[in-house]
Amino acid sequence: MENYSKGKNVEQVLTRETIGIPALPENLVWMQVKGGSKMRNLLELALEEFAQGRDVLWSGSGPALGKTISCAEVMKKKFSPIHQFNKISYRRCEEHWEPKMEGLDPLVVNRDVPLIHILLSHQPINSDLPGYQMVGEQKHVPSRHAKPMTSKKFEQRPFNRKKNITHDQAQMESYGLKFNRKKNNKKANKERSNEN
């Protein structure tokens, strides 16, 4: 790609029809999160509108996915009860590359960027649809590194010194292992080679 310079990016335009969430409420605030958006500014408007009775739809793609989810989680902590519907899909992005040398054709690279829509609603949404979370539904996934809590008090184990273990050299060599042999140093190797 050193013979090309990057041109414009053309992203698929999002409309209410392309979102893919059935029966979107009419009274809706659509928050489209970008990578450079400030969460404070987004949340001020969304919290105010949700408090006035309007539903909020959060949308973000690519590097803005984490910020989109964080904004929705902040709203869920502020308001209870709340109904949530998630829709995960992809957004087509065309990258145009212009050649630096004559004789090369311009390139168009199509990328599918991950996209998420999170609808936060006052009214219940169809619970049969995949992506719906009921009011107050929380899933606790225990960490696989977490140790189970025990009711036993901490007991200090007695300190054991390292025990000396002796190995039968002949038996270890029969296994192909070499124990209790000193490594040959360079001087000893030179002396042996000089003797031969």
Side-chain angles (χ1 to χ4, degrees), residues 78-134:
K78 296 274 185 191
F79 294 100
S80 181
I82 196 166
H83 298 269
Q84 178 178 347
F85 185 83
N86 302 324
K87 176 74 176 176
I88 299 172
S89 59
Y90 290 94
R91 182 180 193 177
R92 178 57 57 104
C93 178
E94 290 182 355
E95 293 179 352
H96 293 265
W97 294 81
E98 302 299 327
K100 292 180 183 176
M101 299 170 34
E102 289 187 28
L104 295 175
D105 293 332
L107 296 177
V108 177
V109 178
N110 290 320
R111 289 188 306 125
D112 288 331
V113 180
L115 171 69
I116 190 167
H117 300 289
I118 303 172
L119 175 63
L120 301 177
S121 175
H122 295 281
Q123 282 76 31
I125 306 166
N126 188 352
S127 60
D128 296 334
L129 296 174
Y132 174 71
Q133 288 183 346
M134 295 171 62

Side-chain angles (χ1 to χ4, degrees), residues 180-186 188-189 192:
N180 299 329
R181 287 191 178 175
K182 293 182 180 178
K183 292 183 179 179
N184 296 331
N185 57 21
K186 291 180 181 179
N189 288 337
R192 287 187 194 144

